PDB file of all heavy atoms in Angstrom:
ATOM      1  N   LEU A   1    -172.667 -59.486 113.777  1.00 94.00           N
ATOM      2  CA  LEU A   1    -171.286 -59.771 114.079  1.00 94.00           C
ATOM      3  C   LEU A   1    -171.232 -60.503 115.428  1.00 94.00           C
ATOM      4  O   LEU A   1    -171.462 -59.916 116.474  1.00 94.00           O
ATOM      5  CB  LEU A   1    -170.426 -58.453 114.147  1.00 94.00           C
ATOM      6  CG  LEU A   1    -170.408 -57.725 112.842  1.00 94.00           C
ATOM      7  CD1 LEU A   1    -169.905 -56.318 113.031  1.00 94.00           C
ATOM      8  CD2 LEU A   1    -169.575 -58.440 111.797  1.00 94.00           C
ATOM      9  N   GLU A   2    -170.889 -61.783 115.346  1.00 89.00           N
ATOM     10  CA  GLU A   2    -170.887 -62.580 116.588  1.00 89.00           C
ATOM     11  C   GLU A   2    -170.197 -63.928 116.351  1.00 89.00           C
ATOM     12  O   GLU A   2    -170.110 -64.406 115.227  1.00 89.00           O
ATOM     13  CB  GLU A   2    -172.325 -62.842 117.069  1.00 89.00           C
ATOM     14  CG  GLU A   2    -173.148 -63.613 116.118  1.00 89.00           C
ATOM     15  CD  GLU A   2    -174.595 -63.818 116.578  1.00 89.00           C
ATOM     16  OE1 GLU A   2    -174.915 -63.416 117.734  1.00 89.00           O
ATOM     17  OE2 GLU A   2    -175.417 -64.365 115.803  1.00 89.00           O
ATOM     18  N   ASP A   3    -169.676 -64.532 117.362  1.00 77.00           N
ATOM     19  CA  ASP A   3    -169.216 -65.878 117.456  1.00 77.00           C
ATOM     20  C   ASP A   3    -168.571 -66.406 116.187  1.00 77.00           C
ATOM     21  O   ASP A   3    -167.594 -65.854 115.719  1.00 77.00           O
ATOM     22  CB  ASP A   3    -170.367 -66.772 117.966  1.00 77.00           C
ATOM     23  CG  ASP A   3    -169.927 -68.143 118.398  1.00 77.00           C
ATOM     24  OD1 ASP A   3    -168.722 -68.218 118.855  1.00 77.00           O
ATOM     25  OD2 ASP A   3    -170.670 -69.082 118.334  1.00 77.00           O
ATOM     26  N   LYS A   4    -169.183 -67.434 115.565  1.00 81.00           N
ATOM     27  CA  LYS A   4    -168.584 -68.096 114.407  1.00 81.00           C
ATOM     28  C   LYS A   4    -169.090 -67.603 113.076  1.00 81.00           C
ATOM     29  O   LYS A   4    -168.802 -68.140 112.027  1.00 81.00           O
ATOM     30  CB  LYS A   4    -168.747 -69.603 114.533  1.00 81.00           C
ATOM     31  CG  LYS A   4    -168.056 -70.227 115.732  1.00 81.00           C
ATOM     32  CD  LYS A   4    -168.287 -71.741 115.811  1.00 81.00           C
ATOM     33  CE  LYS A   4    -167.610 -72.324 117.012  1.00 81.00           C
ATOM     34  NZ  LYS A   4    -167.819 -73.764 117.107  1.00 81.00           N
ATOM     35  N   ARG A   5    -169.935 -66.595 113.123  1.00 88.00           N
ATOM     36  CA  ARG A   5    -170.477 -66.053 111.896  1.00 88.00           C
ATOM     37  C   ARG A   5    -169.339 -65.308 111.129  1.00 88.00           C
ATOM     38  O   ARG A   5    -168.623 -64.479 111.711  1.00 88.00           O
ATOM     39  CB  ARG A   5    -171.625 -65.115 112.187  1.00 88.00           C
ATOM     40  CG  ARG A   5    -172.404 -64.616 110.961  1.00 88.00           C
ATOM     41  CD  ARG A   5    -173.447 -63.582 111.392  1.00 88.00           C
ATOM     42  NE  ARG A   5    -174.430 -64.143 112.256  1.00 88.00           N
ATOM     43  CZ  ARG A   5    -175.591 -64.607 111.844  1.00 88.00           C
ATOM     44  NH1 ARG A   5    -175.919 -64.582 110.570  1.00 88.00           N
ATOM     45  NH2 ARG A   5    -176.457 -65.099 112.734  1.00 88.00           N
ATOM     46  N   VAL A   6    -169.223 -65.560 109.858  1.00 91.00           N
ATOM     47  CA  VAL A   6    -168.104 -64.994 109.040  1.00 91.00           C
ATOM     48  C   VAL A   6    -168.634 -64.010 108.043  1.00 91.00           C
ATOM     49  O   VAL A   6    -169.578 -64.307 107.304  1.00 91.00           O
ATOM     50  CB  VAL A   6    -167.295 -66.129 108.344  1.00 91.00           C
ATOM     51  CG1 VAL A   6    -166.206 -65.490 107.456  1.00 91.00           C
ATOM     52  CG2 VAL A   6    -166.696 -67.051 109.321  1.00 91.00           C
ATOM     53  N   ASN A   7    -168.084 -62.834 108.003  1.00 94.00           N
ATOM     54  CA  ASN A   7    -168.421 -61.771 107.022  1.00 94.00           C
ATOM     55  C   ASN A   7    -167.155 -61.272 106.378  1.00 94.00           C
ATOM     56  O   ASN A   7    -166.071 -61.301 106.943  1.00 94.00           O
ATOM     57  CB  ASN A   7    -169.126 -60.612 107.740  1.00 94.00           C
ATOM     58  CG  ASN A   7    -170.339 -61.054 108.499  1.00 94.00           C
ATOM     59  OD1 ASN A   7    -171.364 -61.424 107.928  1.00 94.00           O
ATOM     60  ND2 ASN A   7    -170.279 -60.957 109.840  1.00 94.00           N
ATOM     61  N   PHE A   8    -167.348 -60.785 105.137  1.00 95.00           N
ATOM     62  CA  PHE A   8    -166.208 -60.230 104.405  1.00 95.00           C
ATOM     63  C   PHE A   8    -166.397 -58.752 104.135  1.00 95.00           C
ATOM     64  O   PHE A   8    -167.533 -58.287 103.831  1.00 95.00           O
ATOM     65  CB  PHE A   8    -166.016 -60.984 103.067  1.00 95.00           C
ATOM     66  CG  PHE A   8    -165.535 -62.358 103.258  1.00 95.00           C
ATOM     67  CD1 PHE A   8    -166.504 -63.442 103.290  1.00 95.00           C
ATOM     68  CD2 PHE A   8    -164.234 -62.670 103.441  1.00 95.00           C
ATOM     69  CE1 PHE A   8    -166.039 -64.771 103.475  1.00 95.00           C
ATOM     70  CE2 PHE A   8    -163.790 -63.966 103.628  1.00 95.00           C
ATOM     71  CZ  PHE A   8    -164.718 -65.000 103.639  1.00 95.00           C
ATOM     72  N   SER A   9    -165.316 -57.987 104.202  1.00 93.00           N
ATOM     73  CA  SER A   9    -165.351 -56.531 104.052  1.00 93.00           C
ATOM     74  C   SER A   9    -164.427 -56.080 103.003  1.00 93.00           C
ATOM     75  O   SER A   9    -163.443 -56.754 102.632  1.00 93.00           O
ATOM     76  CB  SER A   9    -164.924 -55.900 105.433  1.00 93.00           C
ATOM     77  OG  SER A   9    -164.695 -54.560 105.294  1.00 93.00           O
ATOM     78  N   MET A  10    -164.691 -54.891 102.456  1.00 89.00           N
ATOM     79  CA  MET A  10    -163.744 -54.230 101.611  1.00 89.00           C
ATOM     80  C   MET A  10    -162.537 -53.808 102.491  1.00 89.00           C
ATOM     81  O   MET A  10    -162.689 -53.627 103.682  1.00 89.00           O
ATOM     82  CB  MET A  10    -164.356 -52.942 100.985  1.00 89.00           C
ATOM     83  CG  MET A  10    -165.590 -53.210 100.156  1.00 89.00           C
ATOM     84  SD  MET A  10    -165.206 -53.774  98.483  1.00 89.00           S
ATOM     85  CE  MET A  10    -165.069 -52.253  97.600  1.00 89.00           C
ATOM     86  N   GLN A  11    -161.377 -53.609 101.872  1.00 84.00           N
ATOM     87  CA  GLN A  11    -160.267 -53.064 102.605  1.00 84.00           C
ATOM     88  C   GLN A  11    -160.341 -51.558 102.590  1.00 84.00           C
ATOM     89  O   GLN A  11    -161.343 -51.011 102.124  1.00 84.00           O
ATOM     90  CB  GLN A  11    -158.946 -53.523 101.986  1.00 84.00           C
ATOM     91  CG  GLN A  11    -158.736 -53.052 100.562  1.00 84.00           C
ATOM     92  CD  GLN A  11    -157.778 -51.912 100.470  1.00 84.00           C
ATOM     93  OE1 GLN A  11    -156.700 -51.967 100.993  1.00 84.00           O
ATOM     94  NE2 GLN A  11    -158.165 -50.821  99.834  1.00 84.00           N
ATOM     95  N   GLY A  12    -159.347 -50.837 103.165  1.00 80.00           N
ATOM     96  CA  GLY A  12    -159.521 -49.424 103.237  1.00 80.00           C
ATOM     97  C   GLY A  12    -158.204 -48.640 103.183  1.00 80.00           C
ATOM     98  O   GLY A  12    -157.132 -49.167 103.350  1.00 80.00           O
ATOM     99  N   THR A  13    -158.374 -47.351 102.943  1.00 84.00           N
ATOM    100  CA  THR A  13    -157.347 -46.270 103.041  1.00 84.00           C
ATOM    101  C   THR A  13    -156.263 -46.310 101.971  1.00 84.00           C
ATOM    102  O   THR A  13    -155.206 -45.765 102.176  1.00 84.00           O
ATOM    103  CB  THR A  13    -156.683 -46.235 104.419  1.00 84.00           C
ATOM    104  OG1 THR A  13    -155.951 -47.429 104.661  1.00 84.00           O
ATOM    105  CG2 THR A  13    -157.735 -46.103 105.539  1.00 84.00           C
ATOM    106  N   SER A  14    -156.510 -46.941 100.846  1.00 90.00           N
ATOM    107  CA  SER A  14    -155.510 -46.860  99.759  1.00 90.00           C
ATOM    108  C   SER A  14    -155.509 -45.429  99.205  1.00 90.00           C
ATOM    109  O   SER A  14    -156.509 -44.757  99.184  1.00 90.00           O
ATOM    110  CB  SER A  14    -155.888 -47.814  98.590  1.00 90.00           C
ATOM    111  OG  SER A  14    -155.770 -49.160  99.038  1.00 90.00           O
ATOM    112  N   VAL A  15    -154.309 -44.997  98.774  1.00 93.00           N
ATOM    113  CA  VAL A  15    -154.173 -43.642  98.262  1.00 93.00           C
ATOM    114  C   VAL A  15    -153.878 -43.637  96.760  1.00 93.00           C
ATOM    115  O   VAL A  15    -153.747 -42.517  96.207  1.00 93.00           O
ATOM    116  CB  VAL A  15    -153.040 -42.882  99.014  1.00 93.00           C
ATOM    117  CG1 VAL A  15    -153.450 -42.667 100.475  1.00 93.00           C
ATOM    118  CG2 VAL A  15    -151.745 -43.622  98.948  1.00 93.00           C
ATOM    119  N   HIS A  16    -153.812 -44.790  96.128  1.00 95.00           N
ATOM    120  CA  HIS A  16    -153.618 -44.869  94.691  1.00 95.00           C
ATOM    121  C   HIS A  16    -154.596 -45.938  94.125  1.00 95.00           C
ATOM    122  O   HIS A  16    -155.030 -46.831  94.844  1.00 95.00           O
ATOM    123  CB  HIS A  16    -152.230 -45.277  94.299  1.00 95.00           C
ATOM    124  CG  HIS A  16    -151.197 -44.228  94.633  1.00 95.00           C
ATOM    125  ND1 HIS A  16    -150.408 -44.269  95.793  1.00 95.00           N
ATOM    126  CD2 HIS A  16    -150.785 -43.124  93.961  1.00 95.00           C
ATOM    127  CE1 HIS A  16    -149.602 -43.202  95.794  1.00 95.00           C
ATOM    128  NE2 HIS A  16    -149.814 -42.500  94.711  1.00 95.00           N
ATOM    129  N   VAL A  17    -154.940 -45.815  92.859  1.00 94.00           N
ATOM    130  CA  VAL A  17    -155.661 -46.842  92.148  1.00 94.00           C
ATOM    131  C   VAL A  17    -154.970 -47.099  90.825  1.00 94.00           C
ATOM    132  O   VAL A  17    -154.190 -46.268  90.338  1.00 94.00           O
ATOM    133  CB  VAL A  17    -157.162 -46.395  91.849  1.00 94.00           C
ATOM    134  CG1 VAL A  17    -157.931 -46.207  93.153  1.00 94.00           C
ATOM    135  CG2 VAL A  17    -157.185 -45.214  90.983  1.00 94.00           C
ATOM    136  N   LEU A  18    -155.212 -48.289  90.287  1.00 95.00           N
ATOM    137  CA  LEU A  18    -154.725 -48.610  88.931  1.00 95.00           C
ATOM    138  C   LEU A  18    -155.839 -48.267  87.990  1.00 95.00           C
ATOM    139  O   LEU A  18    -156.920 -48.899  87.990  1.00 95.00           O
ATOM    140  CB  LEU A  18    -154.341 -50.111  88.827  1.00 95.00           C
ATOM    141  CG  LEU A  18    -153.829 -50.594  87.512  1.00 95.00           C
ATOM    142  CD1 LEU A  18    -152.484 -49.902  87.195  1.00 95.00           C
ATOM    143  CD2 LEU A  18    -153.629 -52.096  87.504  1.00 95.00           C
ATOM    144  N   ASP A  19    -155.656 -47.258  87.219  1.00 93.00           N
ATOM    145  CA  ASP A  19    -156.688 -46.729  86.286  1.00 93.00           C
ATOM    146  C   ASP A  19    -156.940 -47.748  85.175  1.00 93.00           C
ATOM    147  O   ASP A  19    -155.993 -48.174  84.453  1.00 93.00           O
ATOM    148  CB  ASP A  19    -156.269 -45.409  85.708  1.00 93.00           C
ATOM    149  CG  ASP A  19    -157.404 -44.707  84.980  1.00 93.00           C
ATOM    150  OD1 ASP A  19    -157.916 -45.279  83.960  1.00 93.00           O
ATOM    151  OD2 ASP A  19    -157.787 -43.612  85.444  1.00 93.00           O
ATOM    152  N   LEU A  20    -158.178 -48.218  85.057  1.00 89.00           N
ATOM    153  CA  LEU A  20    -158.503 -49.267  84.028  1.00 89.00           C
ATOM    154  C   LEU A  20    -158.412 -48.724  82.622  1.00 89.00           C
ATOM    155  O   LEU A  20    -158.230 -49.541  81.696  1.00 89.00           O
ATOM    156  CB  LEU A  20    -159.878 -49.833  84.339  1.00 89.00           C
ATOM    157  CG  LEU A  20    -160.010 -50.608  85.650  1.00 89.00           C
ATOM    158  CD1 LEU A  20    -161.454 -51.132  85.822  1.00 89.00           C
ATOM    159  CD2 LEU A  20    -159.044 -51.749  85.775  1.00 89.00           C
ATOM    160  N   GLU A  21    -158.529 -47.422  82.450  1.00 92.00           N
ATOM    161  CA  GLU A  21    -158.505 -46.895  81.087  1.00 92.00           C
ATOM    162  C   GLU A  21    -157.049 -46.647  80.580  1.00 92.00           C
ATOM    163  O   GLU A  21    -156.721 -46.929  79.464  1.00 92.00           O
ATOM    164  CB  GLU A  21    -159.307 -45.569  81.027  1.00 92.00           C
ATOM    165  CG  GLU A  21    -160.823 -45.805  81.268  1.00 92.00           C
ATOM    166  CD  GLU A  21    -161.559 -44.506  81.127  1.00 92.00           C
ATOM    167  OE1 GLU A  21    -160.964 -43.487  80.818  1.00 92.00           O
ATOM    168  OE2 GLU A  21    -162.828 -44.540  81.395  1.00 92.00           O
ATOM    169  N   THR A  22    -156.206 -46.116  81.473  1.00 94.00           N
ATOM    170  CA  THR A  22    -154.848 -45.833  81.060  1.00 94.00           C
ATOM    171  C   THR A  22    -153.863 -46.933  81.433  1.00 94.00           C
ATOM    172  O   THR A  22    -152.758 -46.974  80.883  1.00 94.00           O
ATOM    173  CB  THR A  22    -154.384 -44.522  81.746  1.00 94.00           C
ATOM    174  OG1 THR A  22    -154.293 -44.736  83.173  1.00 94.00           O
ATOM    175  CG2 THR A  22    -155.350 -43.386  81.452  1.00 94.00           C
ATOM    176  N   GLY A  23    -154.254 -47.790  82.412  1.00 95.00           N
ATOM    177  CA  GLY A  23    -153.347 -48.853  82.864  1.00 95.00           C
ATOM    178  C   GLY A  23    -152.280 -48.314  83.764  1.00 95.00           C
ATOM    179  O   GLY A  23    -151.307 -49.085  84.100  1.00 95.00           O
ATOM    180  N   LYS A  24    -152.390 -47.066  84.171  1.00 96.00           N
ATOM    181  CA  LYS A  24    -151.352 -46.460  85.005  1.00 96.00           C
ATOM    182  C   LYS A  24    -151.888 -46.178  86.435  1.00 96.00           C
ATOM    183  O   LYS A  24    -153.092 -45.993  86.631  1.00 96.00           O
ATOM    184  CB  LYS A  24    -150.847 -45.130  84.407  1.00 96.00           C
ATOM    185  CG  LYS A  24    -150.185 -45.318  83.064  1.00 96.00           C
ATOM    186  CD  LYS A  24    -149.715 -43.988  82.492  1.00 96.00           C
ATOM    187  CE  LYS A  24    -149.006 -44.184  81.144  1.00 96.00           C
ATOM    188  NZ  LYS A  24    -148.588 -42.869  80.596  1.00 96.00           N
ATOM    189  N   ARG A  25    -150.953 -46.148  87.383  1.00 97.00           N
ATOM    190  CA  ARG A  25    -151.291 -45.799  88.720  1.00 97.00           C
ATOM    191  C   ARG A  25    -151.479 -44.290  88.861  1.00 97.00           C
ATOM    192  O   ARG A  25    -150.714 -43.530  88.276  1.00 97.00           O
ATOM    193  CB  ARG A  25    -150.176 -46.244  89.684  1.00 97.00           C
ATOM    194  CG  ARG A  25    -150.582 -46.193  91.159  1.00 97.00           C
ATOM    195  CD  ARG A  25    -149.466 -46.596  92.078  1.00 97.00           C
ATOM    196  NE  ARG A  25    -148.490 -45.495  92.229  1.00 97.00           N
ATOM    197  CZ  ARG A  25    -147.617 -45.413  93.262  1.00 97.00           C
ATOM    198  NH1 ARG A  25    -147.688 -46.264  94.223  1.00 97.00           N
ATOM    199  NH2 ARG A  25    -146.758 -44.400  93.340  1.00 97.00           N
ATOM    200  N   ARG A  26    -152.527 -43.925  89.636  1.00 96.00           N
ATOM    201  CA  ARG A  26    -152.802 -42.497  89.845  1.00 96.00           C
ATOM    202  C   ARG A  26    -153.375 -42.301  91.221  1.00 96.00           C
ATOM    203  O   ARG A  26    -153.725 -43.260  91.914  1.00 96.00           O
ATOM    204  CB  ARG A  26    -153.764 -41.939  88.767  1.00 96.00           C
ATOM    205  CG  ARG A  26    -155.096 -42.639  88.774  1.00 96.00           C
ATOM    206  CD  ARG A  26    -156.124 -41.886  87.998  1.00 96.00           C
ATOM    207  NE  ARG A  26    -157.391 -42.612  87.791  1.00 96.00           N
ATOM    208  CZ  ARG A  26    -158.311 -42.778  88.768  1.00 96.00           C
ATOM    209  NH1 ARG A  26    -158.142 -42.228  89.957  1.00 96.00           N
ATOM    210  NH2 ARG A  26    -159.388 -43.440  88.521  1.00 96.00           N
ATOM    211  N   ALA A  27    -153.420 -41.046  91.675  1.00 96.00           N
ATOM    212  CA  ALA A  27    -154.015 -40.741  92.960  1.00 96.00           C
ATOM    213  C   ALA A  27    -155.490 -41.053  92.931  1.00 96.00           C
ATOM    214  O   ALA A  27    -156.214 -40.845  91.946  1.00 96.00           O
ATOM    215  CB  ALA A  27    -153.805 -39.253  93.291  1.00 96.00           C
ATOM    216  N   SER A  28    -155.976 -41.587  94.065  1.00 95.00           N
ATOM    217  CA  SER A  28    -157.378 -41.948  94.162  1.00 95.00           C
ATOM    218  C   SER A  28    -158.248 -40.691  94.333  1.00 95.00           C
ATOM    219  O   SER A  28    -157.777 -39.672  94.810  1.00 95.00           O
ATOM    220  CB  SER A  28    -157.631 -42.881  95.349  1.00 95.00           C
ATOM    221  OG  SER A  28    -156.979 -42.389  96.540  1.00 95.00           O
ATOM    222  N   THR A  29    -159.514 -40.807  93.911  1.00 95.00           N
ATOM    223  CA  THR A  29    -160.414 -39.644  93.882  1.00 95.00           C
ATOM    224  C   THR A  29    -161.757 -40.006  94.577  1.00 95.00           C
ATOM    225  O   THR A  29    -162.026 -41.191  94.867  1.00 95.00           O
ATOM    226  CB  THR A  29    -160.741 -39.224  92.449  1.00 95.00           C
ATOM    227  OG1 THR A  29    -161.469 -40.279  91.775  1.00 95.00           O
ATOM    228  CG2 THR A  29    -159.450 -38.954  91.651  1.00 95.00           C
ATOM    229  N   LEU A  30    -162.566 -38.989  94.753  1.00 95.00           N
ATOM    230  CA  LEU A  30    -163.897 -39.196  95.322  1.00 95.00           C
ATOM    231  C   LEU A  30    -164.747 -40.114  94.413  1.00 95.00           C
ATOM    232  O   LEU A  30    -165.503 -40.942  94.877  1.00 95.00           O
ATOM    233  CB  LEU A  30    -164.644 -37.852  95.533  1.00 95.00           C
ATOM    234  CG  LEU A  30    -166.009 -37.950  96.195  1.00 95.00           C
ATOM    235  CD1 LEU A  30    -165.905 -38.549  97.583  1.00 95.00           C
ATOM    236  CD2 LEU A  30    -166.615 -36.525  96.237  1.00 95.00           C
ATOM    237  N   LYS A  31    -164.595 -39.929  93.102  1.00 95.00           N
ATOM    238  CA  LYS A  31    -165.316 -40.796  92.165  1.00 95.00           C
ATOM    239  C   LYS A  31    -164.938 -42.264  92.336  1.00 95.00           C
ATOM    240  O   LYS A  31    -165.814 -43.164  92.234  1.00 95.00           O
ATOM    241  CB  LYS A  31    -165.020 -40.338  90.702  1.00 95.00           C
ATOM    242  CG  LYS A  31    -165.863 -41.080  89.666  1.00 95.00           C
ATOM    243  CD  LYS A  31    -167.312 -40.769  89.826  1.00 95.00           C
ATOM    244  CE  LYS A  31    -168.146 -41.413  88.718  1.00 95.00           C
ATOM    245  NZ  LYS A  31    -169.576 -41.175  88.843  1.00 95.00           N
ATOM    246  N   ASP A  32    -163.677 -42.541  92.608  1.00 95.00           N
ATOM    247  CA  ASP A  32    -163.239 -43.898  92.903  1.00 95.00           C
ATOM    248  C   ASP A  32    -163.964 -44.467  94.139  1.00 95.00           C
ATOM    249  O   ASP A  32    -164.385 -45.606  94.147  1.00 95.00           O
ATOM    250  CB  ASP A  32    -161.716 -43.980  93.107  1.00 95.00           C
ATOM    251  CG  ASP A  32    -160.948 -43.635  91.831  1.00 95.00           C
ATOM    252  OD1 ASP A  32    -161.360 -44.042  90.740  1.00 95.00           O
ATOM    253  OD2 ASP A  32    -159.906 -42.940  91.970  1.00 95.00           O
ATOM    254  N   SER A  33    -164.055 -43.634  95.146  1.00 94.00           N
ATOM    255  CA  SER A  33    -164.750 -44.007  96.359  1.00 94.00           C
ATOM    256  C   SER A  33    -166.175 -44.386  96.063  1.00 94.00           C
ATOM    257  O   SER A  33    -166.710 -45.412  96.534  1.00 94.00           O
ATOM    258  CB  SER A  33    -164.635 -42.938  97.407  1.00 94.00           C
ATOM    259  OG  SER A  33    -165.243 -43.304  98.598  1.00 94.00           O
ATOM    260  N   GLU A  34    -166.829 -43.558  95.261  1.00 95.00           N
ATOM    261  CA  GLU A  34    -168.213 -43.831  94.888  1.00 95.00           C
ATOM    262  C   GLU A  34    -168.344 -45.120  94.100  1.00 95.00           C
ATOM    263  O   GLU A  34    -169.227 -45.984  94.402  1.00 95.00           O
ATOM    264  CB  GLU A  34    -168.749 -42.664  94.030  1.00 95.00           C
ATOM    265  CG  GLU A  34    -168.862 -41.323  94.788  1.00 95.00           C
ATOM    266  CD  GLU A  34    -169.183 -40.194  93.852  1.00 95.00           C
ATOM    267  OE1 GLU A  34    -169.120 -40.385  92.618  1.00 95.00           O
ATOM    268  OE2 GLU A  34    -169.547 -39.119  94.380  1.00 95.00           O
ATOM    269  N   ASN A  35    -167.424 -45.349  93.160  1.00 94.00           N
ATOM    270  CA  ASN A  35    -167.471 -46.578  92.354  1.00 94.00           C
ATOM    271  C   ASN A  35    -167.213 -47.832  93.214  1.00 94.00           C
ATOM    272  O   ASN A  35    -167.872 -48.892  92.980  1.00 94.00           O
ATOM    273  CB  ASN A  35    -166.468 -46.485  91.257  1.00 94.00           C
ATOM    274  CG  ASN A  35    -166.908 -45.527  90.132  1.00 94.00           C
ATOM    275  OD1 ASN A  35    -168.091 -45.223  89.985  1.00 94.00           O
ATOM    276  ND2 ASN A  35    -165.979 -45.010  89.333  1.00 94.00           N
ATOM    277  N   PHE A  36    -166.302 -47.744  94.150  1.00 94.00           N
ATOM    278  CA  PHE A  36    -166.028 -48.934  94.989  1.00 94.00           C
ATOM    279  C   PHE A  36    -167.252 -49.223  95.871  1.00 94.00           C
ATOM    280  O   PHE A  36    -167.502 -50.428  96.178  1.00 94.00           O
ATOM    281  CB  PHE A  36    -164.794 -48.696  95.806  1.00 94.00           C
ATOM    282  CG  PHE A  36    -163.494 -49.016  95.103  1.00 94.00           C
ATOM    283  CD1 PHE A  36    -162.557 -48.048  94.853  1.00 94.00           C
ATOM    284  CD2 PHE A  36    -163.241 -50.303  94.684  1.00 94.00           C
ATOM    285  CE1 PHE A  36    -161.378 -48.358  94.178  1.00 94.00           C
ATOM    286  CE2 PHE A  36    -162.066 -50.649  93.965  1.00 94.00           C
ATOM    287  CZ  PHE A  36    -161.164 -49.640  93.740  1.00 94.00           C
ATOM    288  N   CYS A  37    -167.914 -48.199  96.324  1.00 94.00           N
ATOM    289  CA  CYS A  37    -169.131 -48.450  97.151  1.00 94.00           C
ATOM    290  C   CYS A  37    -170.199 -49.137  96.314  1.00 94.00           C
ATOM    291  O   CYS A  37    -170.899 -50.038  96.753  1.00 94.00           O
ATOM    292  CB  CYS A  37    -169.663 -47.138  97.734  1.00 94.00           C
ATOM    293  SG  CYS A  37    -168.727 -46.487  99.070  1.00 94.00           S
ATOM    294  N   ARG A  38    -170.364 -48.699  95.099  1.00 96.00           N
ATOM    295  CA  ARG A  38    -171.313 -49.337  94.142  1.00 96.00           C
ATOM    296  C   ARG A  38    -170.915 -50.741  93.866  1.00 96.00           C
ATOM    297  O   ARG A  38    -171.775 -51.632  93.778  1.00 96.00           O
ATOM    298  CB  ARG A  38    -171.423 -48.523  92.855  1.00 96.00           C
ATOM    299  CG  ARG A  38    -172.058 -47.120  93.023  1.00 96.00           C
ATOM    300  CD  ARG A  38    -171.949 -46.262  91.809  1.00 96.00           C
ATOM    301  NE  ARG A  38    -172.641 -46.858  90.674  1.00 96.00           N
ATOM    302  CZ  ARG A  38    -172.451 -46.516  89.385  1.00 96.00           C
ATOM    303  NH1 ARG A  38    -171.564 -45.559  89.117  1.00 96.00           N
ATOM    304  NH2 ARG A  38    -173.143 -47.068  88.456  1.00 96.00           N
ATOM    305  N   LEU A  39    -169.651 -50.993  93.719  1.00 95.00           N
ATOM    306  CA  LEU A  39    -169.132 -52.332  93.479  1.00 95.00           C
ATOM    307  C   LEU A  39    -169.444 -53.233  94.684  1.00 95.00           C
ATOM    308  O   LEU A  39    -169.943 -54.364  94.516  1.00 95.00           O
ATOM    309  CB  LEU A  39    -167.612 -52.313  93.214  1.00 95.00           C
ATOM    310  CG  LEU A  39    -166.911 -53.690  92.964  1.00 95.00           C
ATOM    311  CD1 LEU A  39    -167.469 -54.380  91.736  1.00 95.00           C
ATOM    312  CD2 LEU A  39    -165.432 -53.507  92.904  1.00 95.00           C
ATOM    313  N   ALA A  40    -169.112 -52.752  95.878  1.00 94.00           N
ATOM    314  CA  ALA A  40    -169.418 -53.540  97.116  1.00 94.00           C
ATOM    315  C   ALA A  40    -170.939 -53.840  97.213  1.00 94.00           C
ATOM    316  O   ALA A  40    -171.310 -54.930  97.645  1.00 94.00           O
ATOM    317  CB  ALA A  40    -168.966 -52.768  98.355  1.00 94.00           C
ATOM    318  N   ASP A  41    -171.754 -52.847  96.838  1.00 95.00           N
ATOM    319  CA  ASP A  41    -173.165 -53.024  96.930  1.00 95.00           C
ATOM    320  C   ASP A  41    -173.659 -54.172  96.014  1.00 95.00           C
ATOM    321  O   ASP A  41    -174.609 -54.874  96.342  1.00 95.00           O
ATOM    322  CB  ASP A  41    -173.892 -51.717  96.521  1.00 95.00           C
ATOM    323  CG  ASP A  41    -175.312 -51.648  97.013  1.00 95.00           C
ATOM    324  OD1 ASP A  41    -175.473 -51.618  98.242  1.00 95.00           O
ATOM    325  OD2 ASP A  41    -176.241 -51.686  96.217  1.00 95.00           O
ATOM    326  N   ALA A  42    -172.945 -54.366  94.876  1.00 96.00           N
ATOM    327  CA  ALA A  42    -173.358 -55.382  93.929  1.00 96.00           C
ATOM    328  C   ALA A  42    -172.800 -56.745  94.202  1.00 96.00           C
ATOM    329  O   ALA A  42    -173.359 -57.734  93.693  1.00 96.00           O
ATOM    330  CB  ALA A  42    -172.930 -54.928  92.531  1.00 96.00           C
ATOM    331  N   LEU A  43    -171.782 -56.870  95.027  1.00 96.00           N
ATOM    332  CA  LEU A  43    -171.112 -58.165  95.213  1.00 96.00           C
ATOM    333  C   LEU A  43    -171.732 -58.866  96.425  1.00 96.00           C
ATOM    334  O   LEU A  43    -171.621 -58.411  97.540  1.00 96.00           O
ATOM    335  CB  LEU A  43    -169.554 -57.914  95.476  1.00 96.00           C
ATOM    336  CG  LEU A  43    -168.821 -57.367  94.255  1.00 96.00           C
ATOM    337  CD1 LEU A  43    -167.372 -57.056  94.666  1.00 96.00           C
ATOM    338  CD2 LEU A  43    -168.862 -58.369  93.104  1.00 96.00           C
TER     339      LEU A  43
END
């Protein structure tokens, strides 16, 4: 992290997710946190 070097980050602290199976909004869970970390790792 320095000068003109550009990096991109995940955002943070959301308290809801849009469930891909039901299509409905629900409270976020630890499993969601794990999945988002795995997603970030792959991108």
Side-chain angles (χ1 to χ4, degrees):
L1 299 165
E2 63 183 354
D3 195 27
K4 297 179 181 180
R5 188 185 297 266
V6 177
N7 303 292
F8 292 95
S9 169
M10 302 279 271
Q11 63 103 52
T13 67
S14 293
V15 295
H16 293 97
V17 298
L18 182 64
D19 193 296
L20 294 181
E21 294 182 5
T22 65
K24 296 180 180 180
R25 192 182 76 157
R26 60 166 172 77
S28 49
T29 66
L30 183 62
K31 186 64 176 178
D32 294 321
S33 183
E34 293 171 350
N35 286 338
F36 276 118
C37 286
R38 292 170 63 196
L39 178 63
D41 200 66
L43 295 174

